[in-house]
Amino acid sequence: MHITARADYAVRTLIELAAVGGQGPAKAEALAAAQGIPHKFLESVLSDLRRADLVCSRRGPDGGYWLAREASDISVADVIRAVEGPLASVRGQRPEDAEYAGPAEPLTRVWLAVRVNLRAVLEAVSLADIVEDDLPGFVKELVSEPTAWARR
């Protein structure tokens, strides 16, 4: 899976909003500075997040952005889907729609398994889990495996 800058910036921005929680609306400039994200690019990302009902915004001197719902109710998968679309696609189509002939026919099931595994992690991890550094047990187990850190 390739995690784009857009998806990474979106997740980091919402983590930042979750961390500042009840301190009132956060300015886009402050969010960008806190996470080292180009401000103009962040404005575009925030627009996508607003359309997906993940953030709310208000203009003006007391304006800014805040989470549209509790951080525990927003998964990493929700954020990625808001800015990138489906978690897994094959040549721009859903894995179950990819059809192959002959010996490549079982490949569809491989792509489906990839999607299932992406969902298993990304839908199970909420913004609150990350902010509180309390990842689900199975995620901790996955990253504790020595092969998780091996480059290939």
Side-chain angles (χ1 to χ4, degrees):
M1 173 181 185
H2 174 74
I3 299 167
T4 65
R6 185 172 202 79
D8 180 58
Y9 291 169
V11 173
R12 289 170 39 207
T13 298
L14 292 190
I15 290 168
E16 192 69 32
L17 283 174
V20 299
Q23 299 176 11
K27 302 278 187 203
E29 299 84 10
L31 294 168
Q35 288 297 317
I37 298 170
H39 178 255
K40 283 291 190 192
F41 194 80
L42 181 60
E43 288 286 353
S44 172
V45 170
L46 284 165
S47 179
D48 288 344
L49 296 171
R50 193 173 53 249
R51 274 193 298 281
D53 295 323
L54 294 178
V55 298
C56 296
S57 65
R58 179 174 57 228
R59 293 178 188 230
D62 295 328
Y65 295 87
W66 62 93
L67 294 178
R69 55 187 196 257
E70 295 295 319
S72 59
D73 294 333
I74 301 174
S75 71
V76 174
D78 294 333
V79 181
I80 293 172
R81 286 184 184 115
V83 297
E84 294 292 344
L87 295 178
S89 64
V90 180
R91 299 181 326 270
Q93 60 185 350
R94 297 183 182 279
E96 64 271 20
D97 295 335
E99 294 182 19
Y100 302 98
E105 187 273 327
L107 188 55
T108 301
R109 294 190 302 275
V110 173
W111 299 147
L112 287 168
V114 168
R115 182 176 65 184
V116 166
N117 279 286
L118 284 172
R119 285 177 174 172
V121 174
L122 298 176
E123 291 177 351
V125 178
S126 73
L127 298 177
D129 295 333
I130 297 169
V131 170
E132 296 163 8
D133 193 12
D134 187 25
L135 299 175
F138 80 97
V139 174
K140 291 177 186 176
E141 288 178 32
L142 287 170
V143 298
S144 72
E145 293 288 326
T147 57
W149 299 92
R151 294 180 184 199
R152 294 187 184 173

